[in-house]
Each structure stands twice: as C-alpha cells, then as structure tokens.
Amino acid sequence: MNLVRATWKSLLSRALDALAARDCRLCGCPVEGGDMPLCAACARDLPRRTAPCCPNCALPVPGGEICGRCLRHPPAFDATFAAFDYVFPLDVLMQALKYRHHLPLARFFAREMARAPLPPVDLIVPMPLHPRRLRARGFNQAVELARPLARALAAPLALGAASRVRDTVSQTSLDRAARLTNLRGAFACRRLDGQRIAVIDDVMTTGASLEALARCLKTAGATAVYNLVAARASGIGFS
Ligand SMILES: [Zn+2]
Ligand SMILES: [Zn+2]
C-alpha cells in the first residue's frame, strides 16, 4: 500500500472513530465527558497492575524482589513500569488502538501510564517501527502513546533517537531465544551519552524487543533505560 492510500485509510478510520466516540469501546453504553473512550464502570474495572512485581521486568513476584530470571540474565534496561495486565479486555483495546488508530484510547492509556513512579528522564523514546511497516499501517501506536506522555512527564519526545533498520519477521511464533536472534541488528541509535531514557511501548510480552532496543540505547551511551508500557503479559518471562 502506498503512503497516500495508507494516509487516507488512517484519516477515514479516525473519522469513523470520531463519529463513534460517544459510545464506550467495551460495553457500548454512552460515555459522559469529552475524550474518554470508556464509560466510568469499564474504566474502573480494567485489570490495573497492583500485585508486587520484579522491578526490572515487571513480572509478578511475591515480595516485589528481582525475579530469578533477571538475576540469572540481567536485562539491559533498568526498570519496567506497566499500567495494566495484558488480559481481556486489554487485548481488545490494544487491537483497537493498533489497527483502528483509536487516538482517544492512546490518550487514555497515556494518562494511566503517567501515574507510574518513573525516575527522572531526559528523553522519551517510542518503540520504533520499521519504515515499511509504518507505511503499511500509517500509524505507530507507541508514538501515539509517547506524545501525551512526553507532555505529562515534561521530557522531550525523541522520534529520531532510535530507528528500526531491519524489518524482522513477525515475533509471535518465535520463542524468546529465537526472538532475540531475530532482533539482532534490528535497531540503530544516535549518540545518547549520559541520557536517561523512557522507552514507550504498548504491550510487553517476552520483552525481547525492549531488551534489544535497551542494548542499542546503552551502547549509544544512555546511562539509564526505563520501559513504560501500557500492558504487560504476566505469564511470560523475560528470559
Ligand atoms: Zn463501558
Ligand atoms: Zn525480572
């Protein structure tokens, strides 16, 4: 699909969403108050992450200590913060964000993510998409989460700091070891000496993409990398 068609598809999808914006995305009941994509009851019942979890990878761990996996294989990132568990209905909402370009959902998730106890950061870096995928989809959901977060966290959005230079095959059918191999050389970063970076993404599953990006950022001179994601799949370990 060429860029013009992708852009029109994106604009049409956004216009349709705007027309439907007054119904809750989950239950369909009318929503009071401007930008909210969900009714108050559905928003309240979302699976927020409250269980103690590993500070490195955000996997639930009794006592909230560093998990065995992170002890055995310390990740390149320094901490992970997730607003929600990646269970129903987050899967439904993420599909709506990713493939239907539902921007009010991005702003809603960003408001929830901004509550994370993130240490001070110098730059906000969204998980980059390969340009070919960006042209096909017309939209990078991580960028749409990162825009309002940059305002909320009062840190600049660094869209050009990291890029995806290799279009990797879909990760979904691969185990973690294969994912990391698949991601070798996938990212490139400009020099980031002394920078503390918040990496923004929609969903963390195995964390292989976040690990590969963090390695690249650290190699480029970043002193700290914190993952801030909308949802974390709890049953899947980082390594
Ligand atoms: Zn609802
Ligand atoms: Zn961990």
Side-chain angles (χ1 to χ4, degrees), residues 4 68 87 100 138 166-167 202:
V4 174
V87 294
R100 302 210 47 227
R166 208 160 58 72
D167 195 8
D202 55 347

Side-chain angles (χ1 to χ4, degrees), residues 22 24 35 46 52 58 63 97 99 116 124 133 137 181 183 214 223:
R22 278 174 291 173
C24 172
D35 198 32
L46 288 177
L97 170 62
Y99 297 109
I124 306 285
R133 291 195 187 218
R137 204 187 287 168
T181 306
L183 286 162
T223 50

Side-chain angles (χ1 to χ4, degrees), residues 24-29 38-39 41-42:
C24 172
R25 300 294 300 189
L26 289 174
C27 71
C29 77
L38 303 175
C39 71
C42 286

